[in-house]
Amino acid sequence: MLEADKAFAGSVPENYDRYMVPLIFEPYAADLARRVALLSPAAILEIAAGTGAVTRALAPALSSDAIYVVTDLSRPMLDHAASRQPADSRIQWLRADALALPFEDASFDVVCCQFGAMFFPDRVAGHREARRVLKPGGHFLFSVWDRIEENVFADDVTKALAQMFPDDPPRFMARTPHGYHDTALIRSDVEAAGFSRVTIETKAEQSRAPSPRFAALAYCQGTPVRDEIEARAGNLEAATDRAEAALADRHGHGAIAAKIQAHVIVASA
């Protein structure tokens, strides 16, 4: 992963929340929130919360006396998440590095993380930090995207941009969001971090967009792909148009839908 892959700043948080969250994150946020709520935790830590898709789904399902600490490394993403959340005295917002969590050992019943582990510079270290802050018998729940070929819109956009920039194609989507998909490696990393019981479920969903333009805006302007395009002296609107055309050619010009797929991991301390 490149350092630039962690840059969710400028207009990216707003566009990410407006386009990417409904396009691909909401179905998995609802699923992860359901899994966490079934554990009836009293103290919950969310890592790499982004713009708060899981937070919005999970908070209403928690008990009235729960403690819910929501963290992200990116201050702009965290601030946007907080701005979307109704006032809730149970929630604490904190900028924090997943590899150096500012909490005492055995502080939480559940640690959850939706689509953040792919960004950890050292994934075993990140999982080990989750293990450290969990109480005995606690649970670590996280999700990662499957390989890009199983996530159709992301693959379509990546291929379209490769045609536009053949000498130096933007590869953020394949390199980072879809770069931690090997379930054998994931299991090995989680076990190396000290978890003894690990289950991995591969879960397919449908990504739906009201138009090809919506999906093109999501990927080209709501992720660090935007920075890759601009770093290549590319016209952002022209690149978005190219992605839109590729999506329309394959999926049609009205509302479109295609497969997305992710792995959901549950590990017990």
Side-chain angles (χ1 to χ4, degrees), residues 21-37:
V21 167
L23 186 68
I24 61 173
F25 291 115
E26 282 182 347
Y28 292 102
D31 177 73
L32 191 63
R34 178 187 59 81
R35 293 171 191 259
V36 172

Side-chain angles (χ1 to χ4, degrees), residues 70-254:
V70 181
T71 70
D72 198 276
L73 183 62
S74 167
R75 171 58 65 184
M77 295 287 274
L78 192 66
D79 288 346
H80 189 88
S83 75
R84 290 286 316 277
Q85 191 73 29
D88 191 330
S89 61
R90 300 171 302 168
I91 300 177
Q92 302 172 29
W93 304 93
L94 183 68
R95 182 182 180 276
D97 185 343
L99 273 63
L101 294 170
F103 308 109
E104 298 292 331
D105 295 358
S107 295
F108 299 95
D109 301 301
V110 166
V111 175
C112 64
C113 178
Q114 174 167 264
F115 302 121
M118 307 92 69
F119 293 87
F120 296 172
D122 183 332
R123 289 154 184 159
V124 174
H127 303 330
R128 188 177 292 121
E129 272 292 271
R131 175 69 179 81
R132 180 185 66 79
V133 302
L134 275 172
K135 297 176 183 178
H139 295 84
F140 178 34
L141 294 84
F142 70 99
S143 54
V144 295
W145 292 114
D146 201 350
R147 62 195 185 102
I148 196 168
E149 292 82 2
E150 300 290 349
N151 290 269
V152 175
F153 290 159
D155 196 33
D156 290 343
V157 171
T158 298
K159 288 176 178 176
L161 294 178
Q163 293 175 352
M164 189 172 186
F165 303 97
D167 296 331
D168 185 18
R171 294 289 295 168
F172 165 75
M173 294 305 302
R175 180 178 61 247
T176 301
H178 298 280
Y180 191 40
H181 58 77
D182 184 329
T183 55
L185 174 61
I186 295 166
R187 182 179 298 277
S188 175
D189 286 350
V190 174
E191 291 176 346
F195 290 95
S196 57
R197 297 186 300 279
V198 181
T199 63
I200 302 176
E201 177 184 346
T202 300
K203 187 174 177 59
E205 294 280 0
Q206 282 285 295
S207 178
R208 302 181 187 280
S211 67
R213 184 68 179 179
F214 186 99
L217 285 166
Y219 287 103
C220 294
Q221 300 189 29
T223 74
V225 169
R226 176 180 188 140
D227 300 318
E228 290 192 307
I229 294 167
E230 293 176 337
R232 288 158 176 75
N235 182 292
L236 183 61
E237 287 304 316
T240 306
D241 290 345
R242 176 69 68 92
E244 177 186 6
L247 291 166
D249 286 346
R250 182 171 182 187
H251 303 285
H253 293 269

